[in-house]
Amino acid sequence: MRNEKIVLAGGGHSHVLLLRQWAMNPKLRPLAEITLINRGSTTLYSGMIPGLISGHYSKKQLEIDLRFLARKSGVALVIAEIIGLDLVRKKVLLADRPPKEFNILSLDVGAEIKRPEEAELKSGPFEVVPIKPLENALDWLREQDRYVSADTRTGFTVVGAGLAGVEVVLALRRRWPSRKLYLSAYPSSLSNTFQKVLKDSSIELVSSNQPLESSALLCTGSKSPGWLALSGLSVDPLGRVFTSKTLQSITESSVFAVGDCAVIRSSPRPPSGVWAVRSAKPLGINLKLLLRGRQLKEWEPQKDALKLIGFQKGLNSSSAIAMWGGFVVGPSRFLWWLKKTIDLHFMSLFDGRLRKTFDSSMSFEIMECRGCASKLASSPLKAALHQAGLSSLGSDPEDAVEIDPDSQGGELFQSVDGFPALVSDSWLNGRITALHASSDLWASGAEVVSAQALIGLPSASKEVQQELLSQTLQGIQSALKPQGAKLIGGHTYEVRSIPPKIISLGLEVALSVNGKLTSGMAKLKKGLIQHGDALLISRPLGTGVLFAAEMFGKAAPSHLDFASKQLSFSQYHLFMELRSFQEQYLTPNPVHACTDVTGFGLLGHLGEMLDITSRKLRLSGDNSSIRVHINAEKIPSLPGALDLLQAGYCSSLAPANRSFWSLLSPRIDQSGLVSLVLGKITPESSMHKAIKELIVDPQTCGPLMISCEEDFADALLVKGNWHKIGNVFYV
């Protein structure tokens, strides 16, 4: 049973290599609950950043996918900003969410730019941006690209005499072949070789004590994040954590530190990716030894490391300079080839053999999707309800059930929803589950007032279970409190199945949510959709296929980031805006039907609306048939979803949902309930097939779908939060 909680703070080079070790050889992984915390889902390989700035590499070529790496190494991933440490209570403090507890902490949080004082910098009116955080600097350089295209005479300065400053300014020369470029540095700090390369590249060397005459990029050395110096750990003047040769903090044995945020006190080295890479193996060994209560091993970093500084002499000519100790060699095209080979080999460790290993060991047949994609398929669900004498629950379903009027004349509603953990971040999973359950009440027109939770915890130590439960409950409350709702109780149990390697994925969370429809407010039902109605949805589709493809490492990190952001974004304010707008509308009750799109996909839930409406029409003596025209080109999808569907990826529930394709008719002039109007999409093309898959893709925290008057729809569309996908006709 896992008792210890290891937190890896930061996705630096040491940590990503450590995860790779555990993925390739699971026996090396400590038997503990392990969590990686990083501000993003990717980390960039620093050795290729100058090539990214120059345009030689694309960003994708530098990205290491932390989601894939964490999943394959059995490590939970929390995407959050670290803002501090509480060493007394052993917690990592995070922005906008609860802290994360640890028994053992490893720090690999990188560094920030050490910004000179304004008096020393003498920037005057010019904009000055540090190279780190890199994402901000890259965005700023893209803005500078526009200035260059308009006026190449505008100068630009790189401040910093170190190798980073030289590499960056040389990279910018290839990016901006005709722009005036300056390197602000003390000439005496640069070797004759570098001064000649700068001169040959038409880069003017200006003294650091001169005022800047242009916008500038700071490459002025690094320091550790400010919160690290305030943590209580012993640090050097740059804020780097002092460690022993075992990589443990000299003042806190349960804390390890590696990479640019650390320095071995007895063997100080400057920040460098070389030592960060080589510290991964001893770090992994000592984490495991500490858990076993055994003596840790010391590691002595080499005294110097080969440094290769690459640059482009022109668009088609590349070169590099090598440094070792006090020796400088080059420039040489061979050294450029050597640098490129080393860099690409490093990236191949994550995109080559590692991915092939798991591609060959996985298949769609063994994949079990999570979130609402774990929902029971429609056919066995209806059959079971029929056998149990509850056919009406399957034939006339509503998102939430009315209970009794309250004392103020309003109506009370109740619903229940839940699923196995979709993500390994317990707090985020709790939030997603609560938002998903709340949407049942929103789709009925009711506001959530309270909830009770049923939480199944994986088999683990009491300490680990307590942390998982606390994080989950706080995630649930983060979704309920902004609605004015309360978590009023619940029940916990221990899941008896063998827990997964990522223990937080063994959580099972369900919520019974209670809501209230204020007196005088119109309730929302799945029917009656009416002739002339417009069909609108509130957000894009595609969560099912994206999280299915994630299991294979085939979903782009940026696409998963976008999907995760959508999942965690509450639609409560959108619902309240809809209700308010409905009250102010000229005609009463312009929204004729509403549901939320979840496990059965858009087409399955639209089919429920059609079934209920058809039944009501027949009971009223109206023999009209309903026709819904869906504009395939107008169905919004999450980034990457259609590409994955075209590539053959799908959720494990999608094959059962394909039974809803029976609602489709191939042409508008043929009989059928739903027509998929293709527009410019070629029939039976890969895009047509992908759209068909998209509308049966199971959604977690999916959109609200309404059928409403056309004028009301037009007014909603102006607000920008809705997408019109079709129209309703009676024939």
Side-chain angles (χ1 to χ4, degrees), residues 582-698:
Q582 188 178 14
E583 286 182 54
Q584 299 167 17
Y585 199 63
L586 296 176
T587 58
N589 305 329
V591 178
H592 303 139
C594 181
T595 188
D596 60 338
V597 178
T598 54
F600 295 150
L602 184 145
L603 194 57
H605 291 287
L606 177 58
E608 291 178 339
M609 297 172 79
L610 291 168
D611 287 344
I612 295 170
T613 301
S614 296
R615 190 175 303 111
K616 289 181 178 179
L617 287 176
R618 288 195 299 270
L619 289 172
S620 68
D622 188 338
N623 294 321
S624 299
S625 13
I626 312 166
R627 192 59 173 256
V628 178
H629 292 177
I630 300 293
N631 189 332
E633 295 176 314
K634 297 294 185 181
I635 303 172
S637 62
L638 289 165
L642 286 174
D643 290 337
L644 290 169
L645 290 169
Q646 288 185 80
Y649 292 93
C650 67
S651 164
S652 54
L653 184 57
N657 283 354
R658 290 171 190 154
S659 64
F660 299 124
W661 286 347
S662 61
L663 296 168
L664 296 174
S665 61
R667 294 201 309 270
I668 294 177
D669 60 349
Q670 290 185 336
S671 61
L673 292 173
V674 180
S675 295
L676 193 60
V677 182
L678 297 180
K680 296 180 180 179
I681 299 173
T682 303
E684 299 307 316
S685 64
S686 62
M687 179 56 71
H688 179 200
K689 294 175 182 177
I691 292 290
K692 287 178 64 179
E693 293 287 355
L694 180 67
I695 59 179
V696 296
D697 187 55

Side-chain angles (χ1 to χ4, degrees), residues 283-300:
L283 173 63
I285 291 171
N286 282 342
L287 284 173
K288 199 165 186 179
L289 289 174
L290 184 62
L291 279 180
R292 293 177 175 178
R294 294 170 58 182
Q295 184 175 352
L296 275 59
K297 296 183 179 295
E298 293 187 345
W299 175 63
E300 179 72 39

Side-chain angles (χ1 to χ4, degrees), residues 25 28 88 93 97 111 194 291 324 349 354 388 400 425 451 577 658 667:
N25 189 350
L28 297 177
V88 175
L93 307 181
R97 54 175 293 160
F194 282 119
L291 279 180
W324 181 280
L349 297 176
L354 178 64
D425 180 345
E577 181 184 82
R658 290 171 190 154
R667 294 201 309 270

Side-chain angles (χ1 to χ4, degrees), residues 380-398:
L381 174 61
K382 288 184 176 181
L385 289 171
H386 176 74
Q387 290 175 354
L390 298 169
S391 296
S392 62
L393 296 181
S395 62
D396 196 16
E398 287 293 346

Side-chain angles (χ1 to χ4, degrees), residues 511-523:
L511 275 84
S512 173
V513 286
N514 308 299
K516 180 179 178 180
L517 185 68
T518 306
S519 178
M521 295 286 288
K523 68 183 73 171

Side-chain angles (χ1 to χ4, degrees), residues 98-177:
K100 183 68 179 175
E101 293 182 357
F102 66 86
N103 298 113
I104 299 173
L105 174 66
S106 178
L107 297 165
D108 188 11
V109 293
E112 301 172 349
I113 288 298
K114 183 177 62 175
R115 187 174 181 126
E117 297 292 333
E118 187 63 32
E120 180 183 348
L121 187 60
K122 300 176 184 178
S123 61
F126 300 107
E127 189 175 9
V128 177
V129 173
I131 188 68
K132 294 181 181 179
L134 184 63
E135 294 289 350
N136 295 343
L138 292 174
D139 289 342
W140 185 61
L141 289 177
R142 281 190 285 271
E143 292 178 14
Q144 291 290 316
D145 289 340
R146 293 196 293 271
Y147 300 146
V148 174
S149 62
D151 183 8
T152 58
R153 294 171 299 176
T154 304
F156 189 87
T157 303
V158 173
V159 180
L163 294 181
V166 173
E167 278 193 294
V168 168
V169 77
L170 289 171
L172 289 173
R173 171 50 69 216
R174 184 176 189 272
R175 186 185 186 110
W176 301 323

